[in-house]
């Protein structure tokens, strides 16, 4: 039975974020805060997440030019709390792609956009897993 003040509803605003401070960390933070709420100053829980990305050619022309890239993102996360809180940890992955154009500037812009989409998707997946686990715990 779900107890009042427990589970996902209790998590809103109760989770401080410890994520990378770069551009992609900002995109990850945005996605997490959209789902989990902005942490109160005295947030009892802390979510730590790391990001890693890799890129490889997906479409290669006859003259060995790469026209499309696949970008893979991974994030390892852990949610911790007080002494009576069992940590929640896991690993999420997501994939996206972008096109290479004749312009280096346009290709770099497409790459940056793909990286930010991927960071947001990883944030969504982390939030899904954390909320699902908190919901499961609230029902036991």
């Amino acid at each position: 039975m779900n107890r009042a003040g427990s589970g996902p509803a209790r998590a809103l605003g109760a989770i401080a974020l410890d994520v990378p401070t770069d551009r992609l960390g900002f995109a990850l933070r945005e996605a997490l805060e959209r789902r989990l709420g902005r942490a109160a100053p005295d947030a009892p829980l802390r979510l730590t997440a790391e990001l890693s990305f890799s890129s490889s050619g997906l479409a290669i022309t006859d003259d060995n030019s790469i026209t499309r890239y696949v970008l893979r993102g991974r994030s390892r996360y852990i949610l911790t709390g007080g002494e009576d809180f069992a940590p929640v940890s896991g690993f999420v992955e997501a994939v996206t792609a972008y096109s290479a154009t004749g312009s280096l500037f346009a290709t770099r812009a497409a790459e940056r956009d793909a990286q930010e989409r991927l960071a947001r998707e990883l944030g969504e997946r982390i939030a899904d897993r954390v909320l699902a686990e908190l919901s499961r715990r609230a029902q036991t």
Side-chain angles (χ1 to χ4, degrees):
M1 179 165 196
N2 196 352
R3 297 181 298 271
S6 65
R10 182 177 156 243
L12 295 178
I15 301 175
L17 301 176
D18 183 9
V19 298
T21 57
D22 60 4
R23 176 179 57 85
L24 300 177
F26 180 78
L28 176 68
R29 177 181 296 278
E30 269 188 328
L32 289 168
E33 284 182 347
R34 187 171 33 256
R35 295 286 305 284
L36 304 174
R38 188 170 293 236
D42 59 343
L45 303 174
R46 174 165 297 280
L47 178 64
T48 302
E50 301 169 352
L51 290 172
S52 65
F53 297 94
S54 64
S55 180
S56 60
L58 179 64
I60 302 174
T61 64
D62 292 338
D63 66 352
N64 287 332
S65 297
I66 298 173
T67 60
R68 191 146 179 87
Y69 290 88
V70 65
L71 184 63
R72 289 176 173 76
R74 296 169 191 82
S75 181
R76 186 169 303 282
Y77 65 90
I78 185 166
L79 178 68
T80 55
E83 288 181 22
D84 60 339
F85 185 83
V88 176
S89 63
F91 180 76
V92 294
E93 294 181 297
V95 177
T96 193
Y98 64 95
S99 294
T101 64
S103 159
L104 181 59
F105 176 78
T107 299
R108 292 285 182 224
E111 178 183 31
R112 288 173 60 93
D113 181 63
Q115 289 171 336
E116 289 174 12
R117 284 194 320 266
L118 202 51
R120 285 191 300 269
E121 176 63 25
L122 291 168
E124 291 288 330
R125 291 180 184 199
I126 292 169
D128 286 344
R129 296 236 181 128
V130 165
L131 292 172
E133 177 60 20
L134 293 176
S135 179
R136 185 192 69 74
R137 289 181 183 189
Q139 294 182 13
T140 58

